[in-house]
Amino acid sequence: MNYTIEEIYCLVGKEDKTAGLTFKYKSEAFEKYGSFITVVFIYTQHEREEMDNLIQIEPFSKDGRVKAKYLGTDLTPEKVELLLTEGIYSGDIAEILYFNAPSKNTFHSKEKRELNKIEIPMRTQPKGRDLDWMYGFSKKLISEDVGLCPKERSFYLAGKLYYEPEILTKEEREEIFNDEIIDEQVEWELLQMKYIREEISDEDKKRLAELYGKKKRESIAILDNYLKQAGSSLKKLSTDNIDQAAELFMKVMQFKERRLNVMGKNPIYIDLDSYLHIYMRHVEEFQVNKHFEHKDNFQWNENDVFNVIGHVVEYIDKEYQQFKDEKPSQRFSKYGKQSIYFEGDYYTFHIEPNGRISTFHKNRKEHEKPL
């Protein structure tokens, strides 16, 4: 008796269960992968929805190939890739072993998901002494050819100007100064360092206040622009819902640009534009009216969204680094059949040539579409 693709889906595919596969002696899979391997079967969104329809028809009858992610360490990288691209013929499988645990797959759930997180408390040192190790860490990233996002780069340059001005390179000086006028982003980071370390002059305090005022105006303008795209404005929202207007304002002012890939010479990051574009369209707590009700909200709490994006970025980072080496001026995208699967949802996103994530959202599923 052969396994059908429907039976494989019902047993282990639908719920993303780990499967131990024993192959028939001298079958194609046996010759390629040995007698036994451990995998998780993978599906595109279209394939998963197609399988949901197929399993409604009994008896099961279809054979075919099913792609799989290898969970062992013995196969060569070429064979691991072959499992992902070519898959395993269902008729080659003699036995499927799996743990009959409660379902963890949330593809069919409309409820919000929860991430398991470990929160590590930290203590800050007085008079900005944490800046010492923070700058040291930036230097380490530079020495290891890890690409920094714009804010990180400005922090590194400001740190070198503060701690080690005598060893600034010619290229770094040109990056910091233009006709002896310091770059505003570097100046902002430098003045904050001086303020935190309680070494700032009255004149520098005034300049820091000027830069803060400018940053505040620019951030408010960006927020107002996205509110207008949503059919509102900061002025209108302040009249209609002052509490929500104040909350959005505080989130914007507290936002910090961040890089989402840990290593790699090409950074992937989110800035304020990315943050508002993504959150105001797809995070329930950010929506000010029904203008974007046709969009698909994340099924995550607001505080988990960044972690989810980070997990998806981690999954594609190796591919992204290779892509940037070959096509540095092109946008990197995942959508349609290439959408990335994570914890029950498929995600579409675009990364601009400079590494900024411009779009990120979950795909709507067939069972979520209005009748």
Side-chain angles (χ1 to χ4, degrees):
M1 176 181 172
N2 290 339
Y3 282 98
T4 63
I5 60 172
E6 298 101 320
E7 189 175 5
I8 292 170
Y9 184 69
C10 286
L11 289 175
V12 290
K14 185 175 182 179
E15 307 299 344
D16 297 335
K17 291 181 178 179
T18 298
L21 308 180
T22 301
F23 296 123
K24 294 177 181 177
Y25 182 62
K26 288 192 175 180
S27 66
E28 178 190 2
F30 180 93
E31 297 296 337
K32 284 182 179 178
Y33 308 117
S35 61
F36 182 87
I37 62 172
T38 304
V39 302
V40 170
F41 287 103
I42 59 173
Y43 303 84
T44 66
Q45 182 174 340
H46 175 74
E47 289 168 343
R48 192 177 289 272
E49 290 168 342
E50 186 177 46
M51 292 307 304
D52 284 337
N53 291 326
L54 280 177
I55 62 176
Q56 304 303 315
I57 304 170
E58 294 189 27
F60 299 156
S61 60
K62 294 187 178 297
D63 60 357
R65 292 187 176 275
V66 187
K67 299 179 181 68
K69 179 181 179 181
Y70 179 60
L71 300 181
T73 58
D74 297 330
L75 295 183
T76 65
E78 292 75 19
K79 289 183 178 179
V80 172
E81 182 65 21
L82 206 57
L83 285 168
L84 288 170
T85 56
E86 180 183 88
I88 299 164
Y89 178 61
S90 58
D92 288 351
I93 301 173
E95 184 179 26
I96 299 176
L97 301 176
Y98 61 95
F99 179 50
N100 193 20
S103 169
K104 290 184 179 180
N105 181 283
T106 53
F107 179 80
H108 301 90
S109 168
K110 295 183 180 180
E111 303 300 318
K112 281 195 173 183
R113 296 89 159 88
E114 289 187 5
L115 281 178
N116 292 323
K117 302 186 292 292
I118 298 176
E119 296 184 356
I120 302 174
M122 293 185 66
R123 292 181 180 179
T124 57
Q125 299 186 61
K127 295 191 176 181
R129 291 205 300 272
D130 288 306
L131 290 168
D132 299 348
W133 69 261
M134 290 168 66
Y135 170 62
F137 183 66
S138 293
K139 286 177 63 178
K140 185 175 187 295
L141 293 177
I142 293 288
S143 69
E144 294 177 353
D145 200 27
V146 175
L148 306 182
C149 69
K151 183 189 184 304
E152 290 176 311
R153 182 66 184 176
S154 295
F155 176 85
Y156 163 74
L157 292 172
K160 195 162 187 181
L161 190 58
Y162 178 84
Y163 286 99
E164 303 175 301
E166 69 283 354
I167 61 170
L168 280 167
T169 66
K170 180 175 181 287
E171 292 75 15
E172 288 168 342
R173 283 196 169 277
E174 290 174 351
E175 197 173 347
I176 295 171
F177 297 103
N178 182 15
D179 292 332
E180 300 303 317
I181 298 175
I182 189 171
D183 176 84
E184 280 194 358
Q185 297 306 314
V186 176
E187 184 182 16
W188 167 254
E189 297 292 341
L190 178 63
L191 292 177
Q192 285 187 98
M193 288 180 183
K194 290 182 177 181
Y195 180 81
I196 293 169
R197 293 188 67 103
E198 301 178 14
E199 297 172 4
I200 192 168
S201 67
D202 288 342
E203 184 177 350
D204 280 345
K205 283 181 182 178
K206 290 178 182 178
R207 178 58 178 161
L208 181 59
E210 288 176 10
L211 291 175
Y212 176 77
K214 183 177 181 180
K215 178 180 181 293
K216 179 179 175 181
R217 291 190 298 273
E218 290 173 348
S219 299
I220 290 173
I222 294 172
L223 172 60
D224 192 45
N225 178 54
Y226 279 99
L227 284 170
K228 287 175 179 176
Q229 290 181 26
S232 184
S233 68
L234 193 55
K235 182 178 180 180
K236 184 176 187 301
L237 185 61
S238 297
T239 301
D240 296 342
N241 191 336
I242 186 62
D243 290 337
Q244 189 176 23
E247 186 175 355
L248 284 175
F249 172 77
M250 291 305 299
K251 289 180 186 296
V252 164
M253 294 310 300
Q254 292 169 2
F255 174 81
K256 288 181 173 59
E257 178 181 293
R258 64 193 75 182
R259 176 168 48 93
L260 296 172
N261 54 336
V262 177
M263 303 298 287
K265 66 180 181 180
N266 300 294
I268 302 172
Y269 68 95
I270 284 183
D271 66 3
L272 183 58
D273 264 301
S274 310
Y275 174 64
L276 289 175
H277 179 90
I278 295 167
Y279 275 59
M280 294 198 73
R281 284 166 169 76
H282 308 292
V283 175
E284 184 178 351
E285 293 86 347
F286 272 64
Q287 293 176 6
V288 297
N289 51 34
K290 295 183 178 181
H291 188 81
F292 290 128
E293 64 180 350
H294 62 289
K295 302 287 186 181
D296 294 294
N297 287 339
F298 293 118
Q299 289 176 246
W300 300 98
N301 292 320
E302 176 192 340
N303 293 335
D304 286 334
V305 172
F306 265 115
N307 288 326
V308 171
I309 298 174
H311 281 292
V312 172
V313 164
E314 180 183 6
Y315 184 83
I316 57 91
D317 190 42
K318 184 178 179 181
E319 180 186 353
Y320 176 77
Q321 298 299 324
Q322 183 177 347
F323 176 88
K324 289 296 292 180
D325 288 342
E326 297 171 357
K327 303 173 183 178
S329 62
Q330 293 189 24
R331 184 168 76 165
F332 179 90
S333 298
K334 289 292 183 184
Y335 56 91
K337 291 183 179 180
Q338 292 188 330
S339 297
I340 302 301
Y341 182 67
F342 177 73
E343 294 288 333
D345 292 314
Y346 291 84
Y347 292 95
T348 287
F349 58 93
H350 303 291
I351 304 174
E352 299 305 316
N354 63 357
R356 185 180 74 87
I357 296 179
S358 56
T359 302
F360 190 100
H361 63 82
K362 87 177 186 74
N363 299 348
R364 181 171 293 187
K365 304 162 190 170
E366 284 296 325
H367 64 268
E368 295 173 338
K369 294 178 180 178
L371 299 176

